[in-house]
Amino acid sequence: MKNKIVVMFLTLVVMIFATPIVFEKLMNSKFNTMLLNLQQQKGIVIKEIKNKSSYLTTDRVFEVLIPGKAINQKEIDHIKLISEVTFKNLPVTNVFFHNIVKEVVLVKYGEIPFLKDNFVFDVVTPDFKHYKYRVMDKKVDVNNVEIGWRGFNGIYVDNTEFKNEDGNVYILIKKDNAKIAFNHFIFNYLKNGNKIEQSSQLQNIEIKSPKFNGEIENINSQSETVFKKDIIDTISVLSVDSANINNLFKLNNLKINAKINGLDKKAIEELQQSDDNTSKEALKVLLNKGFNGNLKLNIKDMFFMQDLGFVNADVNFSIEKGNNVEKLNNDDLSFLNLSAKIDASPKIGAMLMMSEPKFAPFIKNENNKSIVIIQIKQGKIYINGKEIKSN
């Protein structure tokens, strides 16, 4: 019996001491596979520069070079950071990434020097699929301009979900005592099959200086993008609760709805990842392939040195497939069908007629509204039923 107890005890001791060794091998194997996938699939360059691992803890430091195209940011040439990765060599453990940005280089404007060593963020994952991140708060002084950010944090889930749960950025120009602040930024991204849903909220934008003050409250946007075999359909909504610029210009309850169907999928992908020349070619493809959509604009109330009232617009359009770029260069609009109705308060209609008398024949007033109806069909333009002929 004593021998059995001794054997059991020795076996337990061996298991306890062997566990970190076994799981160090397993965890590092899984981690190395993840690094290899990133390099092969995304073109990210990862180089180990230090290994500080011990018996119980893995601690490895990497230099990481991320091309802009790897994160679908064509304006960025590359991002370089130092990433220290640590985890316990135990069965249940989290993996911690401590990241220090060393370079952010833009294609057109070169390096953004103030981000070096100042943009620091931590990431933790239990399974290499679900990641929580937090950006360290920071203030940076650049040529008498203070730039600060705080509160950025969120989660990322394996190419399917991304949430930024809060964040604040400000720019303080000390010489002029001027400040621009973007407060409480929230962002959500969700990919489900062939559909991507995105939403963002910015609580307010403040612009303050001795001569200029402005504030925009509650900016919200939502979008839904559906990827089909060769085309993309999108729906977007933007709303603003209020805006006030120096008490001279104000608006309340702005809302824009946009729906576009039939966008060429390949051309959209090239626009997201290509340079300026390729983008121009992609825009030509989009126009020649054709698409259709609807745009709605609603403003409940506007003020410009006086109360002006409301503005509403409803636009439907379709672009037929053909040599549309060539037609457009020859002032031929036969590829475009458009119907637009704009109605506004009589005050806005009167202001337009006073500022530009030639608009007067095309504005009709009825039911306490100033109305303009624009149509384009068969290459001809009509306003309130009257054909507009070019000189």
Side-chain angles (χ1 to χ4, degrees):
M1 185 65 181
K2 290 181 179 179
N3 289 338
K4 287 184 178 181
I5 293 173
V6 170
V7 170
M8 289 175 62
F9 176 74
L10 290 174
T11 302
L12 181 61
V13 169
V14 170
M15 286 178 64
I16 290 171
F17 278 92
T19 293
I21 298 172
V22 171
F23 277 93
E24 185 271 337
K25 298 295 183 185
L26 290 173
M27 289 291 289
N28 274 277
S29 176
K30 186 175 182 179
F31 181 61
N32 288 335
T33 299
M34 184 193 76
L35 296 182
L36 183 62
N37 288 337
L38 285 173
Q39 294 186 83
Q40 291 178 342
Q41 296 173 14
K42 296 286 190 178
I44 296 172
V45 180
I46 302 170
K47 181 173 68 174
E48 185 168 1
I49 57 176
K50 190 180 292 186
N51 191 327
K52 303 188 290 181
S53 301
S54 63
Y55 170 68
L56 288 174
T57 303
T58 292
D59 188 343
R60 301 167 66 186
V61 183
F62 299 87
E63 181 184 86
V64 184
L65 185 70
I66 307 170
K69 62 182 180 181
I71 50 175
N72 294 323
Q73 298 295 322
K74 63 181 182 181
E75 295 85 4
I76 296 176
D77 183 81
H78 70 267
I79 298 171
K80 183 188 286 186
L81 54 89
I82 299 298
S83 181
E84 183 169 3
V85 184
T86 58
F87 52 84
K88 300 293 184 183
N89 300 329
L90 297 171
V92 179
T93 187
N94 286 325
V95 180
F96 295 89
F97 298 78
H98 180 68
N99 307 281
I100 303 172
V101 170
K102 290 295 183 178
E103 287 182 5
V104 177
V105 179
L106 304 180
V107 173
K108 290 186 178 180
Y109 305 107
E111 186 177 357
I112 305 176
F114 71 84
L115 291 177
K116 181 180 179 181
D117 295 326
N118 290 314
F119 196 89
V120 179
F121 61 101
D122 289 341
V123 178
V124 58
T125 177
D127 55 8
F128 297 119
K129 291 183 178 179
H130 300 77
Y131 300 84
K132 287 187 176 182
Y133 71 88
R134 182 171 68 92
V135 178
M136 305 299 107
D137 298 351
K138 189 70 177 180
K139 293 190 295 185
V140 182
D141 195 86
V142 185
N143 297 326
N144 209 31
V145 176
E146 183 176 288
I147 302 170
W149 54 86
R150 61 181 174 82
F152 281 92
N153 66 93
I155 62 172
Y156 170 79
V157 183
D158 198 23
N159 290 321
T160 60
E161 187 175 2
F162 173 65
K163 292 182 179 181
N164 185 72
E165 297 176 347
D166 197 9
N168 304 271
V169 176
Y170 72 88
I171 302 168
L172 175 63
I173 305 170
K174 296 178 181 179
K175 180 181 178 182
D176 300 323
N177 194 25
K179 182 179 180 180
I180 303 172
F182 304 85
N183 299 315
H184 301 298
F185 174 69
I186 299 169
F187 177 79
N188 291 280
Y189 170 98
L190 179 64
K191 184 177 181 181
N192 184 9
N194 69 332
K195 182 167 68 175
I196 293 176
E197 297 177 8
Q198 298 182 74
S199 65
S200 64
Q201 179 182 354
L202 187 59
Q203 183 173 308
N204 67 9
I205 300 174
E206 297 177 277
I207 307 169
K208 296 187 179 296
S209 74
K211 295 182 179 180
F212 184 92
N213 285 288
E215 190 163 14
I216 305 174
E217 295 284 345
N218 289 329
I219 306 161
N220 294 278
S221 69
Q222 293 99 28
S223 70
E224 179 181 291
T225 305
V226 179
F227 295 84
K228 300 179 180 178
K229 183 179 179 181
D230 298 314
I231 63 172
I232 295 174
D233 296 338
T234 69
I235 299 174
S236 300
V237 179
L238 172 68
S239 65
V240 176
D241 279 3
S242 64
N244 185 341
I245 308 298
N246 269 10
N247 286 323
L248 293 176
F249 174 80
K250 303 176 187 177
L251 64 80
N252 292 308
N253 296 339
L254 163 69
K255 190 170 185 179
I256 300 172
N257 293 65
K259 181 178 181 181
I260 303 178
N261 297 323
L263 292 165
D264 184 77
K265 184 179 177 181
K266 185 177 179 181
I268 292 294
E269 290 172 348
E270 288 181 353
L271 277 174
Q272 292 176 334
Q273 301 178 8
S274 57
D275 56 28
D276 289 345
N277 291 329
T278 313
S279 294
K280 290 176 183 177
E281 291 303 314
L283 286 170
K284 290 179 182 179
V285 171
L286 276 178
L287 194 59
N288 287 338
K289 290 289 184 74
F291 51 91
N292 63 83
N294 170 261
L295 175 68
K296 292 183 179 178
L297 165 71
N298 304 101
I299 301 174
K300 185 178 180 180
D301 184 54
M302 288 179 61
F303 177 95
F304 182 64
M305 296 186 289
Q306 61 174 317
D307 286 320
L308 295 175
F310 63 89
V311 177
N312 301 305
D314 190 350
V315 181
N316 292 283
F317 67 91
S318 63
I319 296 174
E320 299 175 357
K321 186 176 181 179
N323 296 320
N324 298 328
V325 174
E326 183 180 343
K327 290 178 180 179
L328 187 60
N329 290 335
N330 292 318
D331 297 325
D332 179 1
L333 297 178
S334 60
F335 62 90
L336 173 63
N337 291 297
L338 180 142
S339 175
K341 181 180 180 181
I342 303 165
D343 62 74
S345 68
K347 281 187 177 181
I348 292 178
M351 188 176 69
L352 283 173
M353 288 187 284
M354 287 178 62
S355 61
E356 192 56 72
K358 67 180 181 181
F359 288 158
F362 305 113
I363 299 175
K364 62 179 181 180
N365 292 290
E366 57 181 40
N367 298 324
N368 203 32
K369 295 178 181 178
S370 292
I371 300 172
V372 177
I373 297 174
I374 302 170
Q375 291 178 299
I376 300 176
K377 54 186 179 181
Q378 297 178 348
K380 297 179 180 180
I381 302 174
Y382 301 86
I383 300 181
N384 288 346
K386 298 177 183 178
E387 183 181 350
I388 307 300
K389 296 184 178 180
S390 58
N391 296 327

